[in-house]
Amino acid sequence: SKERADAHVIGKVLEMGASSTNQKDFKWATVGGKTSDGKDAFIATNTKLKSQLRTLAQREGYILGKTASGVGWYHMETREAHEILVKRLEKSVAKKRSEIAQDKCCCGSEAVISKKEAELEELFDTYKEMKARRDADKPGGTVGVKKRDAKTDRGDGYYYADGSWAYPVYVWDSAGGACGGAVATGPSGCGGGACGGGCG
């Protein structure tokens, strides 16, 4: 399927540890430093407002966001990129829980509530996995709640055979990984959860 093909491409772009990298020696890239393939671990922006971020180009293998180190693109080999993912997923989980509570309280049908509960479970699984990755000793290898051969509910893997981390496209998008450039920030531009509550 196209989604599966997209997941493969996105995952390959974001694969943690190229085939030439020895996983035993692979370490987190630090802000101000370089990645395993010599790229800048952090690229600062000169923007301060979310509205300005909408015009910035996307960068493959990076997440546009804000941490204590500043606003800019954080490479997926940085712990900061995973912190951004975790924060966005926390917002998405809270939003989905709120929607379910409102549907149960007001007039949501059983089918709608059931669908949203399944989406919440998938989001929460993703949140736990990204949190485990953020807290890992290195950006690669099996961590957290998912085994190396684990699959998402949609059949996509969380890992490649060598233990490098894959990011299926729906996981990436639901956490706001694509924010920057064509993907707008904030609920008005990306339908709420698409950017995990915004690129902040």
Side-chain angles (χ1 to χ4, degrees):
S1 73
K2 182 178 183 324
E3 185 178 76
R4 189 110 352 127
D6 288 345
H8 177 73
V9 170
I10 295 285
K12 273 305 196 189
V13 167
L14 301 173
E15 184 174 334
M16 297 296 99
S19 56
S20 61
T21 303
N22 182 337
Q23 287 285 325
K24 291 179 183 174
D25 299 328
F26 200 66
K27 300 196 185 304
W28 286 108
T30 57
V31 172
K34 300 287 185 183
T35 65
S36 63
D37 58 358
K39 294 178 182 173
D40 289 328
F42 173 66
I43 303 167
T45 67
N46 295 320
T47 56
K48 304 236 182 239
L49 303 173
K50 284 186 179 182
S51 60
Q52 294 172 319
L53 296 176
R54 292 185 179 107
T55 63
L56 299 177
Q58 294 181 33
R59 294 177 183 259
E60 289 185 350
Y62 288 83
I63 288 184
L64 179 60
K66 178 181 178 182
T67 73
S69 298
V71 178
W73 290 275
Y74 291 86
H75 195 275
M76 293 305 295
E77 287 183 15
T78 65
R79 199 181 297 275
E80 288 83 358
H82 291 81
E83 180 60 33
I84 292 166
L85 283 176
V86 167
K87 285 181 181 177
R88 291 183 183 156
L89 283 163
E90 282 175 349
K91 290 178 183 178
S92 293
V93 166
K95 181 175 185 267
K96 188 63 69 178
R97 283 183 174 148
S98 177
E99 288 174 11
I100 292 168
Q102 183 175 355
D103 286 346
K104 285 181 175 179
C105 175
C106 296
C107 51
S109 71
E110 284 298 318
V112 168
I113 292 169
S114 180
K115 182 176 184 269
K116 287 184 178 181
E117 286 176 336
E119 291 169 354
L120 175 61
E121 185 176 340
E122 187 174 62
L123 262 176
F124 194 64
D125 273 356
T126 303
Y127 163 76
K128 290 187 289 187
E129 184 64 24
M130 293 306 117
K131 191 173 178 189
R133 290 181 183 189
R134 178 201 66 190
D135 298 338
D137 293 334
K138 61 181 181 177
T142 307
V143 298
V145 296
K146 301 293 179 189
K147 296 180 182 175
R148 187 171 288 195
D149 61 352
K151 303 278 185 203
T152 68
D153 290 344
R154 301 170 198 218
D156 299 309
Y158 281 97
Y159 297 95
Y160 291 101
D162 67 353
S164 56
W165 295 343
Y167 297 83
V169 72
Y170 86 91
V171 171
W172 183 240
D173 289 346
S174 70
C179 284
V183 178
T185 61
S188 61
C190 45
C195 289
C199 296

